[in-house]
């Protein structure tokens, strides 16, 4: 009796395996999010950052309120940022104009970028390296789509 049921189980498994061969198989390009074979090395297409000058840049949408705005203009001319130079500040450090945006003019950095020294607003050291939080954008095909929608 025992032997018979084992045989039956083996036969059933084989039949199940055959009839469901397709849905049960996970092919290697469906294993991850990238939808390419795990044996391939996905190489993103080469791309260039836009060479839009700041005065023609306009602004890009923000992902959510208080997200660091994306840089809408070229930055290659203004790098590197180091202890000796920070060209972003030449245009964006305008403590007297905080909150006053004008089209085609550099957006003044907001109050959060400063500390108070007496009556003066001085750039906060932790905000010195702008590109930690603000990044330029390029028109690229994403390897994996992002469906995130902010407020
Ligand atoms: C020559 C002046 C200039 C320099 C240098 C410059 N910017 Fe700008 N920036 C602008 C102007 C002009 C705008 C947007 C204009 C508009 O609103 O039409 C802008 C927009 C931005 C914005 C978007 C602001 C928003 O409200 O969405 C960010 C972020 C920014 N710049 C960051 C940087 C960083 C970081 C650097 C240095 C790597 C830099 N900028 C260098 C002039 C400049
Ligand atoms: C630690 C992250 C961080 C760093 C570093 C940083 N920022 Fe920002 N920035 C933000 C965030 C977050 C916002 C949006 C919320 C706010 O205004 O505080 C912002 C807003 C801005 C705005 C838009 C202001 C407005 O009123 O709409 C400008 C312009 C800007 N930053 C420029 C700069 C520049 C130039 C530097 C470098 C000197 C810099 N930021 C460094 C996080 C950062």
């Amino acid at each position: 009796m025992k032997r018979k049921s084992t045989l039956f189980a083996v036969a059933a498994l084989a039949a199940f395996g055959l009839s469901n061969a397709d849905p049960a198989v996970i092919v290697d390009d469906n294993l991850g999010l990238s939808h390419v074979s795990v044996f391939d090395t996905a190489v993103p297409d080469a791309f260039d950052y836009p060479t839009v000058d700041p005065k023609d840049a306009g602004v890009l949408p923000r992902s959510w309120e208080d997200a660091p705005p994306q840089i809408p203009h070229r930055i290659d001319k203004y790098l590197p940022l180091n202890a000796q130079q920070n060209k972003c500040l030449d245009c964006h450090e305008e403590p007297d104009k905080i909150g006053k945006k004008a089209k085609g003019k550099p957006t003044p950095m907001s109050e959060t970028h400063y500390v108070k020294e007496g009556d003066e607003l001085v750039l906060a050291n932790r905000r010195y390296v702008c590109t930690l939080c603000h990044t330029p954008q390029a028109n690229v095909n994403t390897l994996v789509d992002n469906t995130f929608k902010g407020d």
Side-chain angles (χ1 to χ4, degrees):
M1 190 61 182
K2 196 174 176 210
R3 195 154 170 245
K4 242 190 196 166
S5 59
T6 313
L7 270 178
F8 176 74
V10 170
L13 267 180
F16 179 81
L18 282 177
S19 64
N20 288 284
D22 282 350
V25 171
I26 300 175
V27 282
D28 56 12
D29 54 3
N30 270 331
L31 283 176
L33 286 175
S34 62
H35 296 298
V36 294
S37 165
V38 289
F39 298 107
D40 291 341
T41 308
V43 183
D45 294 336
F47 66 89
D48 293 317
Y49 282 105
T51 50
V52 188
D53 277 324
K55 63 177 169 28
D56 306 319
V59 288
L60 296 168
R62 300 201 186 181
S63 302
W64 65 89
E65 206 191 330
D66 287 341
Q70 308 172 97
I71 305 175
H73 56 69
R74 71 186 313 160
I75 61 164
D76 53 332
K77 285 182 171 175
Y78 314 130
L79 299 178
L81 302 182
N82 56 32
Q84 283 74 43
Q85 73 160 39
N86 185 333
K87 291 202 174 153
C88 315
L89 293 177
D90 294 353
C91 289
H92 289 284
E93 189 178 32
E94 296 178 293
D96 302 337
K97 294 193 189 159
I98 290 174
K100 293 183 190 140
K101 274 170 77 102
K103 202 169 176 293
K105 300 267 177 268
T107 319
M109 293 186 297
S110 45
E111 211 156 23
T112 53
H113 295 60
Y114 298 92
V115 285
K116 266 212 163 131
E117 277 184 13
D119 282 345
E120 249 184 85
L121 286 181
V122 181
L123 178 74
N125 288 340
R126 64 180 183 276
R127 294 283 167 125
Y128 186 83
V129 185
C130 320
T131 46
L132 278 179
C133 305
H134 301 283
T135 50
Q137 304 298 308
N139 206 2
V140 292
N141 291 328
T142 45
L143 288 177
V144 178
D145 282 340
N146 183 349
T147 54
F148 174 79
K149 282 206 170 47
D151 300 329

